[in-house]
Amino acid sequence: MSNNIKILLAEDEPSLGQIIKESLEIRNFEVILCVNGEEAYKKYESENPNLLVLDVMMPIKDGFTLAKEIRQENTNIPILFLTAKSQIKDVVEGFEIGGNDYLKKPFSMEELIVRINALLKRQKNKDTPFNIGNYLFDLQKQTLELNSNVEKLTHREAQLLWHLHKKRNQTLDRSFILKKLWGDDDFFNARSMDVFISKLRKKLKDDESIQIINVRGFGYKMIC
Amino acid sequence: MSNNIKILLAEDEPSLGQIIKESLEIRNFEVILCVNGEEAYKKYESENPNLLVLDVMMPIKDGFTLAKEIRQENTNIPILFLTAKSQIKDVVEGFEIGGNDYLKKPFSMEELIVRINALLKRQKNKDTPFNIGNYLFDLQKQTLELNSNVEKLTHREAQLLWHLHKKRNQTLDRSFILKKLWGDDDFFNARSMDVFISKLRKKLKDDESIQIINVRGFGYKMIC
DNA sequence: ACCTAGCGTTAACAAGTGTTAACGAGTGTT
DNA sequence: AACACTCGTTAACACTTGTTAACGCTAGGT
């Protein structure tokens, strides 16, 4: 029985493609095998897969080109590259395009499975609500829930809170967060961010175990 | 016996046109062969075909011009271009006009069949109703059904909802959708789109798991 | 030709969101 | 203590988006 996770596999070497496909199917993944980038793009469109495993070197359309196209319309889907070339340059290019991980050939099936599971888990983590203190925080829905009292957050508030929580109990650098969320670290954005910190503190005040502490000159630290 | 699928073929070179026509008829497609764009337009109007195969270079009216005209009144029908010119420029132009695929001459009949079937399958996928939350959404019929309660959507509503769903759980860029559905990103179209978002929210309000969230300055995100 | 219903656009106002300003409080330095 | 600087907080503001209704166009019916 399928675990409901659909993997799009693009690999031009038939025997390798088949081996990977079967190995994954044994683990209850649903696998769509394509032999080139163009076919893979069409299947991506029609099948709506959860994860992409792309060989970099393929005829007609290579994995990088394909990934670039898909990233334009889907910034979310995890992409794992398979690369025969072991040069660092390629790996860097892959990450720049928006690949989430890569695997050098030859690789063991176990390695592949581990990485796929890691990517899926990361994906799931992003989508699944989690607790911050006694609050339940849902990034997707942009909500904070406490005692079945649901408070809506704005997009900025939610993003900021997510980053604070990701680095909870560590100092989150002002400049880092400004560049990440505001795009630029300047005076006004910095003040704007302070306002948002203030708003978050207010919205989180019903659980005293959560605190957003200022580290003068460096940033903020959320303890929880 | 026909499989009930009607293909409009526009190809000015008589012998090639005839060969393609017969090859397709062997595969049980119904084929209407035209020798120029003007004739093809008339046949398109009267015959209501399921798919267009258009030669780009034709006398009187070329394939691109024809496709542009037809796209204005039908954004749905799959269009496959046959092009003798192999320049990328043409292919790009073709896709911008709204072509769904292209085939460089010379091509094998097998290639053509594969592409036609792929387009038809994709079309079929588009035509098949699917679930959005607990609703059943039918793009073709422009309906939303919940608990056997059928709500009609207008064309714009249906198109917008389809795009939101296609990129569900991702932010759909305002500008992208405006260009795609309204043709241009200007103030009034943007306001019009906001109105439609409002209408969709109202029509989707009976399933709370579906939400259309605004991402200020960027667009909308449908979560479901 | 006229009427009508349906649809998409435009207008108008309400609500929401992020930025900026202003002022006060806190912190470390001299 | 005086000072410079950073941060906290509130409110005003500008801008974006939400919502409703009026409007005009078009296709189909009479």
Side-chain angles (χ1 to χ4, degrees), chain A residues 174 191 201-202 214 216-217 220:
Chain A
R174 290 183 74 87
R191 297 316 331 273
R201 282 182 178 134
K202 202 177 280 180
N214 170 253
R216 192 184 166 85
Y220 293 97

Side-chain angles (χ1 to χ4, degrees), chain B residues 9 23 26-27 52 63 67 92 121 126 157 206:
Chain B
L9 170 64
S23 300
I26 287 168
R27 267 92 173 177
L52 309 180
V92 170
K121 194 182 161 197
K126 249 186 143 182
E157 285 170 345
D206 289 337

Side-chain angles (χ1 to χ4, degrees), chain B residues 23-24 27 29 109-118:
Chain B
S23 300
L24 291 175
R27 267 92 173 177
F29 292 108
M109 236 14 98
E110 280 67 34
E111 258 183 300
L112 179 62
I113 303 288
V114 164
R115 280 158 197 268
I116 285 175
N117 280 328

Side-chain angles (χ1 to χ4, degrees), chain A residues 75-86:
Chain A
T75 53
N76 233 355
I77 191 166
I79 300 179
L80 171 61
F81 286 117
L82 305 178
T83 171
K85 307 188 241 174
S86 62

Side-chain angles (χ1 to χ4, degrees), chain A residues 73, chain B residues 159-178 181 193 197 213 215 218-222:
Chain A
E73 45 181 292
Chain B
Q159 295 289 104
L160 181 55
L161 180 54
W162 188 81
H163 280 286
L164 282 165
H165 179 265
K166 189 181 174 194
K167 295 217 181 184
R168 78 206 95 112
N169 301 324
Q170 299 176 65
T171 304
L172 186 55
D173 190 62
R174 290 183 76 88
S175 187
F176 171 82
I177 203 74
L178 282 167
L181 296 192
M193 169 172 165
I197 290 288
I213 294 180
V215 182
F218 289 92
Y220 292 96
K221 184 168 68 168
M222 183 164 98

